Structure formats: C-alpha cells, structure tokens
C-alpha cells in the first residue's frame, strides 16, 4: 500500500478489537474509545490482582487489599483514561500468571493460560519477550511440584515398605 510510509510500524490489534463494538454502538468518539480501558482498569484488573494476591498469600484479606490498591491508585486511573495498550497488557500478563499458578494445581487452566498469553502479545508486542519467562516459570513450578509429589510418593513407599517389612518380620518370628 502506498499510504503506509513505514511498514515496520504497527499498533497492537487487541485494543482495537475491544474498541470496535463501542464504536459501532456509540459512534467514533473519544468516550467510546476509552470505555474498554476504564472497564478493564476499574473492574477486571482489580479482580485479577485480587486473585493473584490471594493465590500467592493464601489470604483473601491480602487479596482484597491488593485489588483495592489497584482500584484506588490515582496514577493507574489516570492511565486508564488514555487509549493506550498498557493497562490491557498488564491485565493480560497478570491473568496469564494467575492461570499459570492455577494450572499447577489443575491442568485444565493451561488452555485459558495459552489464550491469555496470546492476547497479551496482541495487547502489546513486548509480550513476546515474556514467553521465555512463562516457560521458565512453568518448568520451575512443574519441577518443584514433581519434587513434592516424589517426596509424598517416597513417604508412601516408605510406609508401605515398613508395613511389608513388619509383616515379614512378624511372620518370621512366628
């Protein structure tokens, strides 16, 4: 296309997809363009931060404090009034982390985690840089989970071997 003077410049498409329904309903104006960012920053992002803090701390009170902090932080609210992809990107990254942590306990969360990871990339191209971090964190969590399972399994094997040896010794004595 001759109108594109710098083809290497591109905007992340995810926020554009979020704006489209509001443009269709309310028309192409600044208010309609800001609705997705305000919705994410005021409702969805505090909830995801709540869930993340609750998972990491094990306390709903700490989760609530973290979610309220995101909701009431003035600088965060100021950024939500601009049509930037930063809020959406941060929301998708935190959603991915929550789903990774939930996936270590229940593998069915890995599919939504992959979707959130892809949407984080579509929210901002720098999300591509985080993919190795996601893989490394998954491997670390998986390795520590295997160690915990191995420890539990070795405890069970130890109890079973003690039971078998006890039966053998008692049978030998009689």
């Amino acid at each position: 296309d001759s109108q594109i003077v710098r083809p290497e410049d591109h905007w992340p498409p995810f926020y554009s997809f979020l704006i489209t329904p509001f443009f269709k309903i309310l028309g192409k104006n600044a208010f309609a363009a800001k609705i997705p960012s305000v919705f994410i920053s005021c409702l969805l992002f505090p909830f995801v931060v709540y869930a993340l803090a609750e998972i990491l701390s094990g306390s709903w009170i700490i989760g609530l404090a973290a979610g309220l902090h995101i909701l009431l932080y003035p600088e965060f609210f100021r950024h939500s009034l601009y049509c930037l992809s930063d809020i959406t990107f941060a929301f998708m990254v935190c959603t991915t982390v929550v789903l990774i942590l939930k996936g270590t306990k229940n593998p069915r969360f890995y599919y939504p985690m992959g979707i959130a990871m892809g949407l984080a990339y579509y929210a901002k191209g720098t999300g591509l840089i985080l993919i190795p971090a996601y893989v490394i964190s998954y491997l670390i969590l998986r390795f520590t989970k295997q160690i915990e399972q191995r420890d539990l399994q070795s405890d069970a094997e130890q109890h079973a071997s003690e039971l078998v040896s006890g039966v053998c010794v008692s049978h030998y004595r009689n």
Side-chain angles (χ1 to χ4, degrees):
D1 191 7
S2 62
Q3 294 178 345
I4 300 176
V5 293
R6 295 184 307 202
E8 68 277 357
D9 288 349
H10 68 281
W11 295 101
F14 187 58
Y15 197 75
S16 299
F17 293 142
L18 294 177
I19 292 174
T20 302
F22 296 103
F23 276 1
K24 291 286 186 189
I25 295 169
L26 301 172
K28 293 182 182 178
N29 58 49
F31 176 73
K34 293 176 184 180
I35 291 175
S37 184
V38 171
F39 179 72
I40 288 171
S41 66
C42 292
L43 293 176
L44 299 177
F45 200 26
F47 177 74
V48 169
V49 169
Y50 163 80
L52 182 60
E54 185 181 22
I55 289 170
L56 292 175
S57 69
S59 169
W60 70 270
I61 294 173
I62 292 174
L64 182 64
L68 287 174
H69 177 74
I70 289 294
L71 183 63
L72 299 175
Y73 187 58
E75 190 70 20
F76 192 79
F77 182 74
R78 186 177 66 82
H79 281 344
S80 73
L81 296 177
Y82 298 108
C83 297
L84 300 173
S85 59
D86 296 332
I87 300 289
T88 310
F89 176 66
F91 165 70
M92 292 313 304
V93 168
C94 285
T95 302
T96 302
V97 172
V98 166
L99 293 171
I100 286 173
L101 293 172
K102 285 188 168 281
T104 58
K105 292 181 176 51
N106 188 347
R108 70 184 173 113
F109 286 101
Y110 287 137
Y111 295 110
M113 178 209 60
I115 293 168
M117 190 184 306
L119 290 176
Y121 168 69
Y122 283 128
K124 199 165 190 172
T126 54
L128 196 60
I129 297 170
L130 294 175
I131 290 177
Y134 295 143
V135 172
I136 291 169
S137 65
Y138 167 77
L139 292 174
I140 289 170
L141 289 170
R142 186 75 171 170
F143 180 70
T144 56
K145 185 177 177 182
Q146 285 177 350
I147 289 174
E148 290 172 5
Q149 286 178 346
R150 194 175 331 130
D151 290 344
L152 290 174
Q153 188 177 21
S154 65
D155 286 346
E157 289 172 355
Q158 181 180 357
H159 293 303
S161 65
E162 289 171 356
L163 180 65
V164 169
S165 65
V167 168
C168 289
V169 168
S170 67
H171 180 63
Y172 177 70
R173 288 182 131 193
N174 292 334

